[in-house]
Amino acid sequence: MRYVYLIQPTCDARLKPGSQARMGSIEMFDSYTSSRLNKRSFLTIPALLIVLTSLILSTTVVHAQSPDFALSSTPSNLCVNPGVNGATVISVQSVDNFAGTVNLAGSVDPNVNNGPTISQIPSSETLAAGQTVPFDLSISTSPSTPVYTYSIRISGLSGATYHETIVQVTVAAGCSVGGVVLPTAAVAPTTSFVVYGLVVAGLVGVVATSLSIYVSRRKPISSP
């Protein structure tokens, strides 16, 4: 015998054939299949709007470049012995047809007793559109200058626009020979080669020791 119960408004409750009417024997059947397409369409439109909005927001907006200036130093890393002087070239460059006056200042960090000193720099540079103005900067040390890495900061200000360039000066023994200033980058490979050589030598020693032990263990023992 088959019983059918109608539950309004959205679903049917049907009793399984051959089963008794009791709790837990009723299966619920989805009755809103016909409305799924409309619901999916209703959900698809906001999803497309969200995707389009994300694409618009993620698009890089290109703004017109405003005139500016830039500061640079060549070289930007120096390594000198205590008592040896170094030199670098500071460039003030017009960017995007900047034309105007750039006020300049220099400082040494940290500022310690007998620390490095810098030569006098121009108080300002006036640039025409597209112009680059370089000037020399000397860094002086003394035999008593503490071994350390110092930051030479050259800053420029034009109106509300501020830029700076930093020269790293390492004062240490073995950096410069005969007054010739060597960039810090030239010192690093030498140190690396020394380290690599020590590592290779150590590995060769370990291999040689291991072979000698292996051979001594395999050496036949003569019978008395």
Side-chain angles (χ1 to χ4, degrees):
M1 182 176 292
R2 185 173 183 178
Y3 300 92
V4 178
Y5 297 90
L6 296 177
I7 301 177
Q8 296 295 333
T10 59
C11 59
D12 295 334
R14 297 183 181 180
L15 189 63
K16 289 182 178 180
S19 63
Q20 296 179 356
R22 64 179 183 273
M23 294 299 294
S25 64
I26 298 177
E27 291 183 51
M28 305 298 293
F29 294 91
D30 188 1
S31 66
Y32 56 87
T33 305
S34 61
S35 63
R36 286 183 178 176
L37 182 59
N38 292 333
K39 291 184 178 180
R40 289 178 180 174
S41 300
F42 178 76
L43 294 176
T44 302
I45 294 175
L48 290 175
L49 291 176
I50 293 174
V51 172
L52 290 175
T53 304
S54 301
L55 291 175
I56 293 173
L57 292 177
S58 62
T59 302
T60 303
V61 180
V62 179
H63 297 283
Q65 297 292 332
S66 57
D68 201 354
F69 70 92
L71 292 174
S72 62
S73 51
T74 306
S76 58
N77 290 279
L78 295 173
C79 189
V80 297
N81 283 356
V84 177
N85 300 334
T88 185
V89 177
I90 306 298
S91 296
V92 188
Q93 180 182 3
S94 168
V95 178
D96 293 324
N97 294 320
F98 171 87
T101 300
V102 179
N103 298 311
L104 301 171
S107 63
V108 180
D109 184 37
N111 187 10
V112 298
N113 291 333
N114 299 318
T117 58
I118 60 175
S119 59
Q120 186 175 1
I121 66 173
S123 59
S124 65
E125 292 288 359
T126 300
L127 300 177
Q131 184 182 16
T132 299
V133 177
F135 62 88
D136 295 330
L137 179 69
S138 299
I139 300 102
S140 302
T141 66
S142 67
S144 56
T145 296
V147 173
Y148 196 75
T149 298
Y150 300 86
S151 296
I152 310 299
R153 188 185 311 272
I154 305 299
S155 58
L157 181 66
S158 179
T161 304
Y162 174 88
H163 293 293
E164 65 181 26
T165 183
I166 296 177
V167 182
Q168 298 289 343
V169 179
T170 299
V171 179
C175 282
S176 53
V177 180
V180 179
V181 178
L182 301 178
T184 306
V187 179
T190 303
T191 305
S192 301
F193 291 146
V194 173
V195 173
Y196 293 153
L198 293 175
V199 171
V200 172
L203 291 176
V204 171
V206 170
V207 172
T209 304
S210 300
L211 288 175
S212 62
I213 294 174
Y214 177 76
V215 171
S216 63
R217 286 182 177 178
R218 294 181 57 84
K219 184 178 181 180
I221 301 175
S222 57
S223 57

